[in-house]
Amino acid sequence: MHVPTRRTVVTTLVAAALLSTSACGSGSDAAATADNPLGLIEPGAIRVASVGDIRPYAYTDASGEFTGFDVELFRDVAGRIGVGDVTFVGQDFAAVLPAVANGQFDVGVAAIGITPERQETVDFSDGYLAGYLTVLTTPDSGITSSGDLAGRRLGVVQGTLQEAYALKNFPDAELVRFPDNNTGVSGLNSGNVDAHFLDYEAAKTYVEQFGLVDAEDIPSFDAPAGFAIAEGNTALKEALDEGLHAAMEDGTWKELYQKWFPGSPMPEQYLPSDERTSSPTPTTAS
């Protein structure tokens, strides 16, 4: 099997972007020019809106640097399309998509699930992760499944898939909205909420850190995570898609997944094509 090299991907993408620019000098791709074929805010640099506390997807380490699965994957993909200057800036999750839509950032990277509602304001790359949602609680809460949430205070991060899912499926729970998971789990530990609803991978960290209980894992595979892009920037979307698929095909995605999600079920649709089966097993998004 031929796997494209990074140099090949970069050359192909830049050439395609330039052709797209010359073919359409107005309309949705007008931001792309010969000097800025990807239509970036600053040519040759990508400014990324992210969230600093959604382990293991995106978070800041002890030195204040962004790291995590999504961060490392995006940096790899950006390198494949010829952009080494990538700056991550922390936002509340609910602010990420508006900031991309209004042109403050080139891309949003924070395990962002692709939904029809979100696609009304931004475009997305192809998906790269899919997953489970978890009801997290304390050992003495009496909550053993989502069926026990009626009449209880349930924490969610505002603007996430978990909030939307809870609104639809837990109508008798009292939702308490937080800006991020750290404050939500703090509310759980202090007794301000009875449970917190978040993604499976992030929940594992809090279970280990605070001795909390995973009451139920709920499959939610219909909104895979993607990179958010301003509407109409097809040159950047096509470049990211090709770089992303190259990272999957040459095994880079798999290596990063094993690094950041050790022991977790692997979504096989993102593996090299010769390793996939007919029954992929997905994992998560926000």
Side-chain angles (χ1 to χ4, degrees):
M1 177 194 314
H2 172 68
V3 177
T5 64
R6 184 169 299 199
R7 182 181 298 274
T8 300
V9 171
V10 170
T11 302
T12 302
L13 293 172
V14 172
L18 288 170
L19 285 172
S20 172
T21 303
S22 62
C24 109
S26 60
S28 62
D29 281 313
T33 66
D35 293 331
N36 186 15
L38 298 178
L40 301 173
I41 296 169
E42 179 184 346
I46 295 180
R47 184 173 169 83
V48 182
S50 191
V51 179
D53 75 332
I54 50 172
R55 296 172 181 261
Y57 309 102
Y59 65 97
T60 51
D61 61 19
S63 65
E65 296 297 318
F66 270 85
T67 189
F69 173 81
D70 290 64
V71 174
E72 288 199 11
L73 178 63
F74 185 79
R75 288 191 185 279
D76 178 87
V77 170
R80 292 172 188 269
I81 65 174
V83 183
D85 185 354
V86 179
T87 301
F88 282 78
V89 179
Q91 311 280 304
D92 287 345
F93 187 88
V96 171
L97 295 186
V100 172
N102 68 25
Q104 288 179 262
F105 295 89
D106 297 296
V107 184
V109 179
I112 306 168
I114 303 169
T115 68
E117 294 77 15
R118 290 171 176 173
Q119 287 175 307
E120 292 178 1
T121 58
V122 296
D123 290 336
F124 283 92
S125 70
D126 289 341
Y128 60 84
L129 203 59
Y132 286 91
L133 312 178
T134 294
V135 177
L136 187 68
T137 189
T138 58
D140 57 356
S141 70
I143 296 173
T144 60
S145 73
S146 59
D148 299 322
L149 293 175
R152 310 299 290 272
R153 290 168 62 84
L154 177 65
V156 293
V157 173
Q158 186 172 3
T160 61
L161 292 179
Q162 290 83 9
E163 179 190 25
Y165 187 98
L167 282 168
K168 179 180 179 181
N169 295 281
F170 310 142
D172 297 324
E174 180 183 350
L175 297 191
V176 180
R177 292 164 177 83
F178 294 97
D180 52 55
N181 282 324
N182 280 345
T183 54
V185 171
S186 177
L188 176 59
N189 284 327
S190 65
N192 290 327
V193 293
D194 302 299
H196 185 60
F197 194 45
L198 70 172
D199 68 87
Y200 168 79
E201 294 295 341
K204 288 197 303 184
T205 300
Y206 293 116
V207 167
E208 295 170 2
Q209 186 175 358
F210 298 112
L212 298 172
V213 175
D214 180 337
E216 185 177 353
D217 297 321
I218 301 169
S220 179
F221 302 151
D222 58 348
F227 303 137
I229 309 155
E231 283 188 310
N233 192 345
T234 55
L236 182 56
K237 171 180 165 48
E238 290 171 1
L240 291 176
D241 283 346
E242 189 163 347
L244 187 57
H245 287 291
M248 294 173 185
E249 193 61 31
D250 70 11
T252 299
W253 183 96
K254 178 180 179 180
E255 291 176 6
L256 291 174
Y257 189 89
Q258 290 172 325
K259 172 183 176 179
W260 289 102
F261 312 121
S264 294
M266 185 168 292
E268 296 182 6
Q269 65 266 46
Y270 307 129
L271 295 178
S273 55
D274 60 355
E275 296 184 32
R276 298 172 197 163
T277 70
S278 59
S279 301
T281 306
T283 343
T284 202
S286 298

